[in-house]
Amino acid sequence: MIDLRSDTVTKPTDEMRAAMASAEVGDDVWGDDPTVNRLESVAAEWLGKEAALFVPSGTMGNQVAVMTHCRPGDEVLVEAEAHVYWYEVGGIARLAGAQPRTIHTPAGLLTPDLVRGAVREENIHYPTPRLLCLENTHNRAGGKVHPLTEFRAVTDLAHSLGLKVHLDGARLANAAVAQGITMAEAAAGADSVMCCLSKGLCAPVGSVLAGTREFIAEARKNRKVLGGGMRQAGILAAAGLISIEKMVGRLQEDHQLAQDIAAALQDMPHLTCDLAKVETNMVQVDLDRPAGPVVDALAREGVLCGTSGPTRIRLVTHHDVSGAHPAEVAKAFRTALA
Ligand SMILES: *Cc1c(COP(=O)(O)O)cnc(C)c1O
């Protein structure tokens, strides 16, 4: 099986399993786990922030960030298809008690003009605009990179309007590698940033949230509210350290494989696949028919994938499919669509 459903299906590497087995641990709620402490300090430096917090999932990292930046009733500005709004079970409303205000974009990228247009002046009737959430790479836009200069223009504008900025960087490592910049450069301008270790970076569990020391101290309490205070979590942090230290550079291979798969699907009947839109490790395939039955047929041909719209298939490349041949994927599509 070639499993292209998501980079979350990656399993911990042998090196990770060995590091997990021998990790030094303690009770992290008491601050006693040396491996978690090391991960948090390495992650802070990696992301160019003062401090970091290890969280069980990207969703918890995003939601803790929103809870920490906002008070109930505040307004959160967010791109209309951003993960924090689209896929997190209404957490902005349920957990932070804040109100999302969505901004529609043609291809997932917020611009200074779009943000300026969405921020309303003070008025007794309006909620207080508090936070802007950005996403890089943008998941529903097909792994799209928010280029550094454009990203900084948006964060500068947001700050000039008195907003805080949270960056959902679940796949920020893909964005950094694609642009040839460091993680700290990619996260500069954001007041807080979340990055998943459990996707293309292969850790079994875990994400990191980074920001100022003061922000992370409050985020630590909010993580506890959500039941995210973990005990001997160094077992997991040991794998996360390897994600940060050893798994970032190879993401270029995932990006190349995505390009090669998209190239192999060019000119095939019954689908369109825009090669120019493949910027990182995702390929979007638009079909001339409902996607569900095609996904089932592809599975029978040995290719697992998911949908990201009624007639759209999403393929995600990652470490555990690095030996897959683009021609095999194309063959499965040809049969499934015949
Ligand atoms: C996967 C993802 C998340 C959430 O991460 P989980 O660990 O699955 O909770 C958040 N944002 C984006 C953009 C993602 O792709």
Side-chain angles (χ1 to χ4, degrees), residues 123-317:
N123 181 297
I124 193 171
H125 300 90
Y126 298 162
T128 304
R130 186 75 63 193
L131 179 66
L132 173 69
C133 290
L134 297 173
E135 183 172 318
N136 199 12
T137 62
H138 195 298
N139 185 336
R140 286 190 55 80
K144 192 171 184 56
V145 172
H146 203 153
L148 187 60
T149 310
E150 286 83 347
F151 180 83
R152 288 306 299 271
V154 179
T155 61
D156 287 349
L157 184 272
H159 288 145
S160 77
L161 296 173
L163 299 170
K164 295 287 186 185
V165 177
H166 171 66
L167 171 57
D168 176 350
R171 294 188 181 81
L172 191 65
N174 297 85
V177 165
Q179 297 177 92
I181 60 176
T182 66
M183 291 294 277
E185 286 168 324
D191 299 286
S192 59
V193 53
M194 183 285 288
C195 180
C196 289
L197 307 175
S198 59
K199 293 188 168 169
L201 303 182
C202 297
V205 174
S207 295
V208 286
L209 174 65
T212 63
R213 238 170 246 114
E214 194 187 357
F215 174 86
I216 291 300
E218 202 183 332
R220 197 176 290 282
K221 289 201 77 161
N222 285 328
R223 182 187 68 174
K224 195 77 177 75
V225 174
L226 299 180
M230 299 178 285
R231 303 296 179 179
Q232 285 74 37
I235 298 273
L236 301 172
L241 278 161
I242 293 171
S243 294
I244 294 174
E245 286 164 355
K246 307 221 172 138
M247 304 305 288
V248 177
R250 61 155 306 286
L251 292 174
Q252 187 49 48
E253 291 171 39
D254 298 347
H255 299 176
Q256 186 61 52
L257 181 59
Q259 286 281 334
D260 294 345
I261 290 173
L265 295 176
Q266 297 303 299
D267 308 323
M268 196 175 287
H270 310 299
L271 66 78
T272 48
C273 175
D274 188 348
L275 193 52
K277 285 192 180 154
V278 181
E279 298 185 13
T280 55
N281 69 330
M282 292 187 193
V283 181
Q284 289 184 333
V285 183
D286 290 304
L287 306 172
D288 63 358
R289 64 191 76 178
V294 179
V295 168
D296 295 341
L298 283 166
R300 287 192 293 274
E301 299 305 314
V303 172
L304 300 180
C305 57
T307 63
S308 60
T311 59
R312 176 172 286 176
I313 281 176
R314 186 186 80 157
L315 310 173
V316 186
T317 57

